Amino acid sequence: MGDPEQDRVGSVLLGRYRIEGMLGRGGMSTVYRGMQLSVQRPVAIKLIAGSIARDAECVHRFRREAEAMARLQHPSSVRIFEFGVTALQELFIVMELLEGQDLAEHLQVCGALPLTEAVGIVHQVLEALCEAHALGVVHRDLKPANIFLAQLPRAQRLVKVMDFGIAGIEQGADDTKLTQSGVVMGTPTYLSPEQALGKTVDARSDLYSLGVTLFEMLTGKPPFVAEATAALLVAHVSTAPPRLCQLRPDASFGAELQAFVDSLLAKRPEDRPASAELALAQLEALIAHEQLALGPYSSLRSSSAQLTSLQLSAATPLAGQRAWPVLVQGMQRTWPALAQKARRHRAG
């Protein structure tokens, strides 16, 4: 018997998308390379099978998450073209086709990354999270496999955050209480403590998962490693993460960088940056203080962000949280103009 996923190659989905090859397969989903026939545009097609499409609550949540994803316009968020349910009772998402590799593959080949590369990747991820969180979209499964490094002309790299809110739908296909507490969603290595405890999560959970990813980029290993899932969950909840220099004694990590990583990996959500905007401001202050050049992962925001970084650096933001609310209010006032300028720059 042939592989049913491979057997779909050559078929046309919804009369609009020709399936040309399989790109990858997960627990309940398969991603194909496709072609949108009306405009001859290459696309990626994700099909989620199983019992999900037969469960009204699962379909309702899928549509809600996909609609939210489709509203994301930041260059570092994957563009969604269409979504719905097929005649074969599969959930589908048609999105932009990316060329490059995901961060998990990159780390497997390269190990620990240079500081400028790791910081540049996190900077673009935080930019995407700023928009997503403002729209009420929480990723819930942020990890290297969901961070794609797209190759652009002139050696530039563009970070793309994939699968906002979708991982929980796939993992909870047979659980009708997807939106309630007590259900552990996500990948154990990158789970926030509140996810490990089955509690309701908010945007600060994504910041913890990003902190785990940053730690892994800098040291070559995540902060907690265990063969048993239960041991990982306990570590996230109750074990202090090692310092960067413990895993990389050969590297010189500054106190400001360690403080930033520690703030993301705080056990209690209230001890982390209150928002992705705040975390981004702290990171930009760190970049200015260390005079880091982001290279191929340069910021997608207006160059005015550098001036903001210098102002924030002068306020010694990493020493405490009390001075941040005023600074955040200022950034919230200037963000729409910066975003509009960035969109014009992208269009050019």
Side-chain angles (χ1 to χ4, degrees):
M1 295 179 63
D3 187 333
E5 276 79 14
Q6 288 288 1
D7 290 345
R8 301 193 65 162
V9 174
S11 64
V12 178
L13 181 69
L14 305 174
R16 296 190 290 278
Y17 304 102
R18 184 175 63 242
I19 297 177
E20 299 184 335
M22 188 172 68
L23 295 174
R25 183 188 304 173
M28 299 193 67
S29 63
T30 306
V31 180
Y32 297 94
R33 176 189 296 271
M35 178 66 67
Q36 185 176 355
L37 298 177
S38 60
V39 293
Q40 292 298 297
R41 173 170 59 185
V43 295
I45 304 168
K46 182 168 189 172
L47 296 177
I48 306 174
S51 60
I52 303 177
R54 294 189 296 274
D55 186 295
E57 185 175 345
C58 287
V59 173
H60 174 73
R61 183 179 177 193
F62 168 78
R63 290 187 181 278
R64 187 181 65 206
E65 298 284 3
E67 287 172 359
M69 290 170 59
R71 295 201 306 270
L72 301 179
Q73 299 296 316
H74 192 275
S76 283
S77 296
V78 174
R79 293 175 60 199
I80 303 298
F81 301 132
E82 189 175 355
F83 59 88
V85 183
T86 71
L88 297 177
Q89 294 299 295
E90 299 164 304
L91 305 181
F92 75 90
I93 301 178
V94 181
M95 58 195 122
E96 64 177 317
L97 181 65
L98 303 174
E99 299 293 340
Q101 64 179 170
D102 64 45
L103 179 57
E105 297 169 332
H106 188 53
L107 289 172
Q108 188 173 11
V109 173
C110 301
L113 304 182
L115 175 60
T116 53
E117 183 177 8
V119 168
I121 291 171
V122 169
H123 192 284
Q124 288 194 19
V125 172
L126 281 172
E127 288 184 354
L129 290 180
C130 285
E131 180 197 36
H133 292 170
L135 293 173
V137 181
V138 180
H139 195 290
R140 299 185 184 90
D141 193 24
L142 194 61
K143 58 185 178 181
N146 281 331
I147 297 173
F148 197 88
L149 310 179
Q151 185 66 54
L152 300 179
R154 300 181 182 179
Q156 287 295 107
R157 303 294 291 271
L158 175 62
V159 174
K160 287 282 189 177
V161 181
M162 305 185 295
D163 279 359
F164 274 98
I166 295 301
I169 296 173
E170 294 184 50
Q171 294 172 9
D174 296 321
D175 192 320
T176 58
K177 298 180 180 179
L178 288 172
T179 59
Q180 299 181 17
S181 62
V183 181
V184 176
M185 297 292 182
T187 304
T189 301
Y190 305 93
L191 281 178
S192 67
E194 55 269 31
Q195 283 178 297
L197 293 170
K199 295 182 177 180
T200 302
V201 302
D202 60 20
R204 294 169 295 182
S205 178
D206 286 347
L207 297 183
Y208 182 93
S209 299
L210 183 59
V212 176
T213 300
L214 174 57
F215 189 102
E216 184 176 359
M217 285 193 286
L218 294 173
T219 67
K221 296 180 180 179
F224 306 114
V225 179
E227 292 185 3
T229 298
L232 272 176
L233 299 183
V234 170
H236 283 302
V237 172
S238 59
T239 303
R243 298 184 67 79
L244 298 171
C245 60
Q246 289 179 247
L247 274 68
R248 285 286 308 279
D250 59 312
S252 56
F253 296 118
E256 292 83 0
L257 175 64
Q258 183 66 62
F260 179 67
V261 173
D262 288 344
S263 70
L264 295 179
L265 292 179
K267 300 297 184 186
R268 301 192 311 163
E270 55 266 32
D271 293 332
R272 298 173 211 146
S275 66
E277 280 281 5
L278 179 52
L280 181 60
Q282 291 182 349
L283 182 62
E284 290 180 340
L286 171 63
I287 292 170
H289 183 270
E290 299 292 335
Q291 298 182 337
L292 299 177
L294 300 183
Y297 295 99
S298 57
S299 170
L300 300 174
R301 296 174 68 162
S302 166
S303 58
S304 301
Q306 184 178 4
L307 176 60
T308 304
S309 299
L310 293 173
Q311 294 169 338
L312 295 175
S313 180
T316 60
L318 296 176
Q321 299 285 346
R322 293 186 179 180
W324 281 105
V326 174
L327 297 172
V328 172
Q329 290 173 5
M331 290 192 68
Q332 289 173 337
R333 288 193 296 269
T334 58
W335 168 250
L338 294 178
Q340 184 178 10
K341 188 180 296 183
R343 285 195 294 270
R344 287 201 301 267
H345 176 71
R346 179 192 176 203

